[in-house]
Amino acid sequence: MRTTLPLAVAFITGLVFVITFFLNEKSAIVGGISRQLLDWLIIIGGFTLLLGVVSILRVSWQSVERRKEDWIYKLITILSVLVMAIPGLLPESWSSLFGRQAGSIYDWLFLNLQAPMMATMFATLAFYIASAAYRAFRARTAEATILLVTATLVMLWRVPMGEAFLNLFSEEIPGLINRYIMGGVNLAVQRGIIIGAALGAAAMSLRIILGIERTYMGKS
Amino acid sequence: MSGIEILQIWIIAFFTLALFSFLYKDNPFYRLAENIFAGLTTGYQVSLIWDTVIIQKLWDPMMGGQWWLFLPGLLGLMMFSRFFPKISWMSRVPLAVVMGITAGIFLTTQLHGFVLPQMQATMNTFVTAKGFADYFLASLIAVGVISTMIYFYFSHEHVGVLGVTAKLGIWFIMISFGAHFGYTVMGRVSLLIGRTQFLIEDWIGTFSYIF
């Protein structure tokens, strides 16, 4: 029951979409079932994300309750969740500060705290990327050199000052980078990776539908 | 500039500087900003999912007569059985629904939507080629696609022809990763310029109002 039921459910739901692909997708029965299942996917996905939120709150609260190291930061996390979530959950009809519309607390926190902090977090990565590039350069291998030379050329190509610099050598260089690096080698590698990943995903899907792949169920 | 606007800019500046302070070393200001950021992001998701999924996709249609939607609602609630060890196995059922649907969609769309069109596009480059430069580019793409795929083929040892092709593949991959690396660096630097501009123009700009 604990293993067979999930395997049967995965088989049937998977099979519905395979059948839908081969039969008429617009038909009332087959198409209708698959469209319903897509809504189910979104609904269960929503609950799964809420499960993650509850899990974060639970783990953080345990740290606070047991006064573990850095519990004060966990308390800050919990308070931040509540400060952002509660005004967003309350109906707009109660106050213009509630809900998710422009001018609400939720909107203010997003625009003035979350968005700038997210941009700053990603901006911080610029320094770590520079550090990673330095370490790659120190590796002194042919592959690392190819990577860095290409990166430098692309960066020069994409900024006006760099393009002007490349034009000093030849005005054809920016066009050649665009045609042969971006439209040639890069395109080819992306295609190779996409084809490989898609074949892998299809094979894995088949394993899941047939019940061969069971790792998603965790330990029995 | 109003007092509220100045306060707003100072709050943003404080958290921006607190997050940048990690570049020196881990410190309480960074930890404070980091946890507030994590909390706000989680809270943002809660409101968003509640409104767009639970209310719009589940509650409103159910109240509108689609009573059978209680099933995915029940399945969603079953996910929470993970918190109770005795009945935690029940969370496998909704997970199986998600995995089954995703697998069913992937099985056909990955082949039909990615593998075949990408192969077709690679071959078509030869068909539409006009002149030596186009044929050279088409050959470059074909060699790149094949050698990249062979590099990721691990069922046989990379020796002989397979080894040479895989070696060529890694060079192609490095050029592509280099291009992506360049774009990533530029994206991050662009964000850094944005934050620096905010600090210099907006934040330091408020000094004249205060001091």
Side-chain angles (χ1 to χ4, degrees), chain A residues 70 77 100 106 179 186, chain B residues 31 35 44 51 92 134 176:
Chain A
D70 295 338
T77 305
R100 296 195 296 125
Y106 181 85
R179 186 172 167 83
N186 182 49
Chain B
R31 300 289 300 277
N35 284 278
Y44 175 81
D51 189 28
R92 287 175 177 180
D134 284 356
S176 175

Side-chain angles (χ1 to χ4, degrees), chain A:
Chain A
M1 173 78 169
R2 293 180 180 194
T3 310
T4 316
L5 180 65
L7 288 178
V9 167
F11 177 75
I12 293 164
T13 50
L15 204 64
V16 167
F17 283 90
V18 178
I19 292 170
T20 310
F21 178 78
F22 290 109
L23 297 180
N24 183 9
E25 284 180 40
K26 288 171 187 168
S27 75
I29 298 173
V30 180
I33 293 172
S34 65
R35 276 191 294 276
Q36 272 295 326
L37 281 178
L38 281 175
D39 280 344
W40 287 33
L41 184 69
I42 296 168
I43 292 166
I44 298 170
F47 276 101
T48 311
L49 281 167
L50 289 180
L51 173 78
V53 173
V54 173
S55 187
I56 288 175
L57 290 174
R58 197 165 163 250
V59 170
S60 299
W61 180 247
Q62 280 172 356
S63 295
V64 174
E65 212 174 18
R66 291 169 194 168
R67 293 289 190 274
K68 282 187 178 173
E69 194 187 357
D70 295 338
W71 64 271
I72 192 79
Y73 295 114
K74 302 293 178 194
L75 184 65
I76 288 166
T77 305
I78 295 170
L79 291 175
S80 305
V81 175
L82 299 178
V83 164
M84 186 77 168
I86 292 172
L89 293 173
L90 295 174
E92 291 170 32
S93 53
W94 289 9
S95 164
S96 60
L97 293 175
F98 298 149
R100 296 195 296 125
Q101 81 284 5
S104 62
I105 294 173
Y106 181 85
D107 183 60
W108 190 89
L109 286 171
F110 176 76
L111 291 176
N112 294 297
L113 283 181
Q114 203 201 348
M117 283 165 99
M118 197 188 297
T120 310
M121 277 282 194
F122 283 114
T124 315
L125 292 180
F127 295 95
Y128 295 104
I129 281 178
S131 155
Y134 174 70
R135 268 177 278 147
F137 192 64
R138 280 181 66 190
R140 290 172 196 272
T141 60
E143 288 85 358
T145 311
I146 291 171
L147 187 142
L148 284 172
V149 168
T150 318
T152 311
L153 282 173
V154 168
M155 281 189 279
L156 286 172
W157 168 59
R158 292 307 298 168
V159 291
M161 208 165 108
E163 197 176 344
F165 173 73
L166 290 174
N167 282 338
L168 289 176
F169 298 96
S170 166
E171 289 192 355
E172 288 183 1
I173 293 178
L176 289 173
I177 293 173
N178 186 29
R179 186 172 167 83
Y180 291 105
I181 294 183
M182 300 311 294
V185 178
N186 182 49
L187 180 79
V189 171
Q190 293 311 309
R191 274 197 186 145
I193 291 173
I194 287 171
I195 292 171
L199 285 171
M204 180 58 86
S205 302
L206 194 62
R207 283 172 62 87
I208 289 168
I209 292 171
L210 295 177
I212 301 166
E213 181 61 49
R214 301 175 179 198
T215 46
Y216 67 88
M217 290 200 289
K219 288 174 187 171
S220 57

Side-chain angles (χ1 to χ4, degrees), chain B residues 5-128:
Chain B
E5 281 173 328
I6 292 172
L7 181 69
Q8 202 166 298
I9 290 170
W10 273 73
I11 291 170
I12 301 171
F14 170 76
F15 285 113
T16 304
L17 291 171
L19 288 171
F20 275 141
S21 69
F22 186 74
L23 292 168
Y24 172 60
K25 66 175 184 181
D26 198 2
N27 62 79
F29 292 109
Y30 172 76
R31 300 289 300 277
L32 174 77
E34 183 195 28
N35 284 278
I36 288 177
F37 176 60
L40 291 178
T41 307
T42 312
Y44 175 81
Q45 291 295 332
V46 172
S47 301
L48 193 70
I49 295 162
W50 184 262
D51 189 28
T52 57
V53 178
I54 309 296
I55 300 297
Q56 290 178 28
K57 285 272 176 195
L58 180 67
W59 186 254
D60 288 347
M62 258 175 70
M63 292 298 110
Q66 295 182 40
W67 56 268
W68 57 88
L69 283 177
F70 82 92
L71 268 170
L74 188 68
L75 285 166
L77 287 173
M78 279 164 77
M79 286 298 295
F80 289 86
S81 67
R82 286 184 158 242
F83 292 128
F84 310 98
K86 279 188 178 175
I87 54 162
S88 66
W89 67 272
M90 285 169 71
S91 68
R92 287 175 177 180
V93 180
L95 209 55
V97 174
V98 173
M99 294 303 286
I101 294 173
T102 313
I105 295 169
F106 268 40
L107 184 60
T108 49
T109 55
Q110 293 291 310
L111 297 174
H112 206 70
F114 290 107
V115 177
L116 299 177
Q118 293 294 340
M119 285 169 68
Q120 190 183 32
T122 307
M123 292 173 209
N124 270 345
T125 325
F126 284 101
V127 179
T128 54

